Amino acid sequence: MTEEFLSKVRRGLLFIAFLMLPFSLSYLIAYPLGYSPLGYEVIELNDDLVVLQSYNVLGMENERITYQPQEDEIWKLGLINDLIDQQQSEYLLFFTTLMLAIFLGGMGLLRSKSFKSVVFQGFLYVLIPGISLVRHLNDIKDILQSSP
């Protein structure tokens, strides 16, 4: 093996290690810390109602919401519980792509790329996970607003 090949392998492994850093940080933010701006958390789940805690933009407690569906829509309790359980994985994906966009944007600026192209690339990285997260939160909000 030549020294040039080993250098490329080392550089590639270092790049992969730097790419794993945003995922690890995002995992810590989304799961153990439970940071979910504009998100929800199940406080109490009974057979006929669910009590939720909503969070504001900063991820601080905003208000408690009691959701009690009509008799023929009791299945929505399970749906809303599942959606809130899946919320952390949506935040994991969003935070990972956000940190990855910042990391790759910084690398691009160090490599003398234009600021406009770096911002545009970062926007493209975050676009799909951001849309997915907003749709997920809107699904929860729609269920909560459909109650009488």
Side-chain angles (χ1 to χ4, degrees):
M1 295 191 166
T2 66
E3 187 64 34
E4 180 182 336
F5 176 74
L6 289 176
S7 174
K8 286 183 180 181
V9 169
R10 285 185 196 122
R11 211 172 324 137
L13 290 174
L14 184 63
F15 186 73
I16 290 171
F18 278 124
L19 290 180
M20 288 176 60
L21 184 64
F23 179 79
S24 301
L25 288 174
S26 298
Y27 181 83
L28 288 174
I29 290 170
Y31 284 96
L33 294 178
Y35 179 66
S36 56
L38 300 176
Y40 299 92
E41 179 183 1
V42 175
I43 302 294
E44 182 182 341
L45 180 65
N46 292 335
D47 292 337
D48 59 344
L49 70 96
V50 64
V51 178
L52 304 174
Q53 177 70 51
S54 70
Y55 294 100
N56 62 9
V57 175
L58 300 175
M60 302 178 83
E61 293 181 356
N62 192 15
E63 64 178 313
R64 286 190 180 220
I65 302 168
T66 302
Y67 174 68
Q68 186 170 8
Q70 298 174 357
E71 297 258 343
D72 59 337
E73 295 181 338
I74 257 335
W75 57 271
K76 286 187 178 182
L77 290 175
L79 176 62
I80 201 162
N81 191 31
D82 290 343
L83 286 173
I84 291 173
D85 285 344
Q86 295 168 0
Q87 177 178 259
Q88 288 178 325
S89 62
E90 292 284 337
Y91 276 110
L92 174 67
L93 181 62
F94 177 72
F95 290 145
T96 300
T97 56
L98 182 65
M99 287 185 198
L100 188 63
I102 292 169
F103 170 72
L104 293 176
M107 295 284 288
L109 289 176
L110 289 176
R111 292 182 180 164
S112 302
K113 283 189 175 180
S114 72
F115 184 72
K116 287 181 183 178
S117 69
V118 167
V119 169
F120 183 70
Q121 268 186 325
F123 173 74
L124 289 179
Y125 289 143
V126 178
L127 180 68
I128 300 297
I131 290 172
S132 175
L133 176 64
V134 168
R135 288 189 66 191
H136 188 82
L137 294 175
N138 282 340
D139 288 345
I140 295 170
K141 190 182 293 184
D142 288 343
I143 292 172
L144 293 175
Q145 289 177 350
S146 70
S147 67

